[in-house]
Amino acid sequence: MRIYDIIDKKRHAFSLTDEEINFVITSYMKGESKDYQISALLMAICINSMDESETNALTRAMVNSGEVLDLSPLGNTTVDKHSTGGIGDKTTLIVAPIASSLGCTVAKMSGRGLGFTGGTVDKLESINSFKTELSIDEFFEQAKDIGIVVIGQSADLTPADKKLYALRDVTATIDSIPLIASSIMSKKIASGSKSIILDVKFGSGAFMKTSEDAEKLAEAMIKIGKDFGRNVTAVITDMNAPLGTCVGNALEVWEAIEVLSGRGEENLVKLCKTVSACMVSSALNLDYNTAQKMVSDAIYSGKALDKFYEWIEKQGGDVSKIKDSSLLLNAKFKREIYAKESGYIYRIDAQKIGTASMILGAGRTKKEDNIDHLAGIILSKSVGNYVQRGDALATMYTSNEDLLDDASLVFEEAISYSEDAPKKSELIYKIIK
C-alpha cells in the first residue's frame, strides 16, 4: 500500500478499507508516513466524511496503537463519564463520588485543560497534596478498595490519537464528526470501563454549536461504543451559558462540594443528578427512575460527600484545606463587576466568560503554561435575573492584579441586557441510548 493512493481515494470520496486505515495509523506511528501526508488525508476526511465502518476502523486502530486497560478484574459495574467540554464544567468532581457511593466503580483517567480553564486533573491539583499520578497497581488497588480513582491520562493510552489531534489542531481539521467521535471513543474504550456516559454539549461555550450537530456526534459515538460491546448513553446539554456559578479550578472544587452538600445552582444540580442517574442505571442495570431516587438519597443523606472526602484523602489530598471554603476562595486579588445598565440579563456568553477566566490565569494557551489554581470567576447573577445598574454581577479572582482590567472588559462584553425577560431554555435537551 501507498499513503498517496489512500489520500487520493478519500479525496475522491471513496470509503477506505479496514486494512487501509490500519496501514495509515501504523505507518504514521512508525514515522513512515509524514505529517504533510496525514494532514492531506485529514482534510480529505473533513471534506468527504467517513462512514460507520471507516469510523469504527479508525477508532480500533487508535485503540490498538497503545496500552489498553483491562478493568474486568473490577467486575461489571465499571463506569466512565466524558464531557465534550464547557465553561464551568466540574461535573466529574460531583458525579464520580455520587456513582461510587451507590456501588459503581469509577476508575477514570482524565486530562488537563488547554483553553479557558483547567481540565479535571487541574481542578484536582488545586487541592493541596492531591496525587494525580499513580502506578497501575495503585490505580487498581484504590478502585477495588473504595470504588473511585481518577488520575492523569497515561501517555501510553491511544498515542495515535494524540499525534492525530496535534495535527488536526493546526490544520483546521478539528471540525469533523467522525474524527471527533473516534478520538473521544478511542480513549474511552482504551480506558476499559464497561459503561460510558457522554455529556455532549452545544452552544456558544461548546465545540458543537447546535443541538443538531451535538445529536449527530452523540449518535456516532453511541454506535462506536455498541460495536465495541460497551453500554453507552449520551446526554445532550446546553452550553450557551456557563455551568453553575464558578469558572476556575479551586473555585469549581468549592462549587462541587456545595452540590454534594445538598446546595448548589439549579442547572448544575440538575445536570449532575441526570448524569449520575445515567451512570448508576447503566452500571448497575437499574431503571432510570430508581437510579434517580438513589442519586438524590446519596446527596441529601451526605453519603456522596463522605465518598468525595474519602476519595480525596485516599489520593493524598488535604481534606482540611477544602472543608474550609475560605482557603479555596483565597486569591490575592479580587474585583467585583457591576451591571452597566438596568434590565433583565438576556444572555451570558459562555465563551467570553471562559476567555475572561483564562486571562485571569485559570486556563492555558500552551501546554507548558502554568495555571493559577485560585484564579477564576464567581457569577452572582444568571440569565433571566433582573438587575439594577450598579448591582454586583460577579467577582473575579487572580494572583496577578495586572490581569483584572483586560478580564473585566471581556466579561462586560459577555453580558447582554433586555427590557423583557428572556425565554427560559432547557439545560438538558435529550438523552440518547
Side-chain angles (χ1 to χ4, degrees), residues 25-73:
I25 297 301
T26 302
S27 65
Y28 187 43
M29 294 305 290
K30 289 179 179 178
E32 295 166 356
S33 294
K34 305 304 179 186
D35 281 355
Y36 59 84
Q37 294 173 310
I38 302 301
S39 296
L41 179 59
L42 290 170
M43 185 60 74
I45 290 170
C46 269
I47 294 168
N48 294 316
S49 195
M50 299 178 94
D51 61 30
E52 185 178 336
S53 176
E54 290 176 289
T55 307
N56 283 348
L58 178 58
T59 305
R60 185 172 288 104
M62 292 196 292
V63 169
N64 293 333
S65 70
E67 178 185 2
V68 179
L69 283 182
D70 178 11
L71 298 187
S72 59

Side-chain angles (χ1 to χ4, degrees), residues 321-359:
K321 295 287 177 68
I322 58 175
K323 285 185 175 180
D324 182 352
S325 63
S326 66
L327 299 176
L328 293 171
L329 312 178
N330 195 34
K332 187 174 181 181
F333 299 101
K334 301 175 187 178
R335 176 181 289 180
E336 295 286 333
I337 305 294
Y338 301 100
K340 295 292 186 181
E341 56 187 274
S342 299
Y344 289 97
I345 296 180
Y346 185 78
R347 187 174 187 229
I348 301 178
D349 188 307
Q351 186 169 7
K352 286 180 178 173
I353 297 296
T355 300
S357 69
M358 184 168 65
I359 291 170

Side-chain angles (χ1 to χ4, degrees), residues 25 28-29 61-62 65-66 157-165:
I25 297 301
Y28 187 43
M29 294 305 290
M62 292 196 292
S65 70
L157 212 69
T158 62
D161 174 61
K162 293 180 181 67
K163 288 194 71 175
L164 285 184
Y165 193 90

Side-chain angles (χ1 to χ4, degrees), residues 71 99 111-112 182 185 217 230 241 256 296 360 383 418 430:
L71 298 187
R112 298 184 185 280
S182 59
M185 292 306 292
L217 176 59
R230 308 302 167 91
S296 289
L360 292 167
V383 172
S418 171
K430 187 179 285 189

Side-chain angles (χ1 to χ4, degrees), residues 211-417:
S211 60
E212 291 80 9
D213 283 345
E215 197 168 339
K216 287 177 187 175
L217 176 59
E219 288 171 347
M221 292 192 288
I222 288 170
K223 285 179 182 176
I224 293 171
K226 286 182 176 176
D227 286 339
F228 281 84
R230 308 302 167 91
N231 305 319
V232 185
T233 302
V235 184
I236 314 295
T237 62
D238 189 314
M239 184 44 75
N240 280 300
L243 183 60
T245 61
C246 295
V247 181
N249 292 284
L251 302 183
E252 292 188 39
V253 172
W254 170 77
E255 189 170 20
I257 293 169
E258 285 289 290
V259 174
L260 290 168
S261 300
R263 299 183 289 271
E265 188 269 335
E266 179 184 359
N267 276 343
L268 176 60
V269 171
K270 183 177 182 179
L271 176 61
C272 290
K273 284 183 174 181
T274 300
V275 171
S276 299
C278 288
M279 294 170 77
V280 172
S281 174
S282 182
L284 303 185
N285 195 27
L286 298 170
D287 71 86
Y288 181 74
N289 290 336
T290 299
Q292 272 191 315
K293 184 178 184 307
M294 291 170 65
V295 165
S296 289
D297 290 345
I299 294 171
Y300 298 115
S301 69
K303 188 176 179 180
L305 182 62
D306 289 343
K307 178 60 70 173
F308 175 81
Y309 287 138
E310 181 185 20
W311 162 38
I312 300 305
E313 189 169 33
K314 189 74 173 179
Q315 283 186 236
D318 188 341
V319 171
S320 67
K321 295 287 177 68
I322 58 175
K323 285 185 175 180
D324 182 352
S325 63
S326 66
L327 299 176
L328 293 171
L329 312 178
N330 195 34
K332 187 174 181 181
F333 299 101
K334 301 175 187 178
R335 176 181 289 180
E336 295 286 333
I337 305 294
Y338 301 100
K340 295 292 186 181
E341 56 187 274
S342 299
Y344 289 97
I345 296 180
Y346 185 78
R347 187 174 187 229
I348 301 178
D349 188 307
Q351 186 169 7
K352 286 180 178 173
I353 297 296
T355 300
S357 69
M358 184 168 65
I359 291 170
L360 292 167
R364 51 170 73 87
T365 55
K366 302 186 297 294
K367 286 183 180 179
E368 58 271 21
D369 288 349
N370 291 320
I371 274 183
D372 176 359
H373 286 102
L374 295 175
I377 299 167
I378 296 182
L379 298 166
S380 309
K381 303 293 182 182
S382 57
V383 172
N385 288 162
Y386 185 85
V387 295
Q388 297 282 356
R389 178 183 172 89
D391 284 353
L393 296 179
T395 306
M396 291 187 165
Y397 297 76
T398 185
S399 300
N400 184 346
E401 189 175 19
D402 294 338
L403 304 175
L404 287 167
D405 287 345
D406 287 345
S408 299
L409 289 173
V410 174
F411 180 92
E412 287 166 3
E413 292 174 358
I415 309 299
S416 299
Y417 302 90

